[in-house]
Amino acid sequence: MSMRLRLASNAVLALASQRSAKMSLSTTRGSSNNSSSSSIGMKCVERKVTCSDGVTLSSQCWPAASPSSSGSTSKTRKILCLHGWLDNSASFHLLAPALSKRLNSSYQSSSSSSKPTEIVALDLPGHGLSSHKSKDGPPQILAEYCYYVSEFLDGLGWSNGGDKTSDEADGDDKIILLSHSMGAGISTTMAAAFPNLVDSIILLEGAGPLARRSEDTAKHIRNAVERRKRGNIAIYGEHGEGGVGDSVADIGAGAAAPSGTGSGGGKARKGVRVYPNLDAAVDVRVNTARLTPGNQYLSREAARAMVERATVSYVTTPAAQAALSAARAAGENVQGFTDESVVFRHDPRLQWPSLQYFTREQVDAIYADVKCPVCLISAQDGWPFGERERKSVQELLRPAYFTTLPGSHHFHADPDSFGAVFDEVVAFIER
């Protein structure tokens, strides 16, 4: 049963999508192609936006319903979903289509103030089906994700409110940010930096950017520089001449054959692990959740949805074809590879330490600059939050609504817990 949303000022804070879309819509920066359907149960379609720096962002879109029989001219409600670190848009494989059906159904069956709703779930750079950043760019600076979100909104034609001041822009010009974990940090930062674009933010299992002690700044820079030097050699070669890892298609280069039939897969010579099949990769994703802080867990259903979008068949990649040919020519055994062998397609540099973290003071300043309504939903067995973070959220971010629900960090993606999350999100949107 869903827990009722409560006013945060008087309480203590506790902090099935289809893998392949029927259609693919390609969008260049500043232009957009849309599909339309009169059915309430809108099917997911793929959309792509190419940014000015060449990075191509992929997304899953649930289009808005067509106008109701009442002839309503209501503007479309726009919801952008932002996933967590090393996840992808399939994190919303249950929540996004359920919201689309509910909100568009309410619009088509009501003559009230309901709006048609378009929902888009983005793959952040280096995640899901989006391309990787270039080899000369640091891959993991949270504030830079705001740049890509902004470019993506331009490509969708969703940044109309950006030409207006915060006072001039009305609700029809603004978007709702629905985000999870790292995506919540991006949403909070976007709401603070671009108040004229954001109508409200819904934060699932996260609040703001990860805060680090200012005294540790030099240490973080040293760790990032040393890791990048080692990693670049492993991925691109000693003099950077290789293209390995520079794109999704090359991610499998240099991999070794899977060792036996165990679910762990084979360790690649250049850091790429090949899994004998998709189920083995799902096993690893499920087990990884158990290694994270707190009492976290992840259902196989949620893991499979994300892993399907996060992996690619190893033997079909151009890099793998070249690597296998070279291995055969050298007389190496490549019998361990099959058509079912997969590799994760995310940018391996996402696992490196960041060159720059926010300090506690900077995060607090971001919280204080958020002026839009905030909904914060946390999980009982989710990511643990320290007392200092809770205090900052309560006193500075000041969410209008919050609740704690049963489930773990990915409670919005797990079939057993997503229903309660859905109820609370709908209650906030329709408030």
Side-chain angles (χ1 to χ4, degrees), residues 1-3 5 95 99 102 377 405 417-430:
M1 178 179 294
S2 173
M3 297 179 66
L5 289 170
L95 190 55
L99 286 173
R102 166 62 181 268
I377 308 177
L405 301 175
S417 54
F418 119 89
V421 179
F422 167 80
D423 288 341
E424 301 297 353
V425 171
V426 170
F428 178 76
I429 292 175
E430 294 184 338

Side-chain angles (χ1 to χ4, degrees), residues 119-393:
I119 300 176
V120 177
L122 172 65
D123 287 331
L124 292 165
H127 298 78
L129 303 186
S130 289
S131 62
H132 300 178
K133 293 173 61 179
S134 62
K135 66 178 71 173
D136 60 345
Q140 188 76 338
I141 295 179
L142 186 136
E144 192 178 32
Y145 284 124
C146 293
Y147 158 75
Y148 289 103
V149 171
S150 180
E151 284 254 31
F152 185 69
L153 294 175
D154 288 347
L156 294 182
W158 281 17
S159 54
N160 295 334
D163 296 330
K164 304 178 182 180
T165 66
S166 181
D167 292 335
E168 292 173 337
D170 58 31
D172 289 333
D173 293 316
K174 298 183 178 183
I175 64 172
I176 298 172
L177 294 177
L178 170 59
S179 49
H180 171 248
S181 195
M182 182 183 76
I186 299 170
S187 291
T188 303
T189 307
M190 282 293 296
F194 300 97
N196 53 328
L197 284 176
V198 181
D199 172 79
S200 57
I201 55 177
I202 303 171
L203 310 175
L204 308 177
E205 270 288 284
L210 179 65
R212 298 292 196 187
R213 299 193 319 156
S214 57
E215 297 89 339
D216 294 332
T217 299
K219 180 181 71 174
H220 292 311
I221 293 173
R222 180 176 66 251
N223 291 342
V225 168
E226 292 178 346
R227 183 66 182 87
R228 185 175 176 183
K229 286 164 63 178
R230 296 194 307 272
N232 278 351
I233 293 175
I235 296 174
Y236 306 119
E238 187 169 358
H239 302 292
E241 70 280 358
V244 178
D246 201 29
S247 68
V248 171
D250 291 329
I251 198 66
S259 55
T261 59
S263 62
K267 187 65 181 295
R269 290 189 294 271
K270 293 189 177 182
V272 178
R273 185 178 294 277
V274 181
Y275 298 90
N277 50 53
L278 185 67
D279 285 336
V282 171
D283 288 340
V284 170
R285 185 66 185 86
V286 170
N287 291 332
T288 299
R290 301 190 184 107
L291 301 177
T292 51
N295 186 30
Q296 295 187 48
Y297 53 87
L298 180 67
S299 70
R300 288 194 64 83
E301 293 86 349
R304 189 174 189 88
M306 290 186 286
V307 169
E308 283 179 343
R309 195 170 178 88
T311 54
V312 61
S313 173
Y314 173 68
V315 297
T316 62
T317 63
Q321 294 289 338
L324 290 173
S325 296
R328 293 189 185 99
E332 296 182 19
N333 178 17
V334 296
Q335 297 302 313
F337 294 115
T338 70
D339 290 341
E340 294 184 346
S341 300
V342 299
V343 291
F344 280 97
R345 63 189 300 148
H346 63 256
D347 190 335
R349 299 173 298 169
L350 293 171
Q351 296 172 286
W352 298 357
S354 178
L355 188 65
Q356 180 266 328
Y357 294 99
F358 286 99
T359 64
R360 179 74 264 166
E361 293 77 14
Q362 288 175 312
V363 174
D364 286 350
I366 288 174
Y367 285 161
D369 280 339
V370 174
K371 307 304 181 185
C372 67
V374 178
C375 173
L376 176 61
I377 308 177
S378 59
Q380 290 178 354
D381 294 319
W383 195 277
F385 284 83
E387 182 59 32
R388 178 68 175 85
E389 175 69 11
R390 287 197 295 270
K391 187 171 187 280
S392 290
V393 169

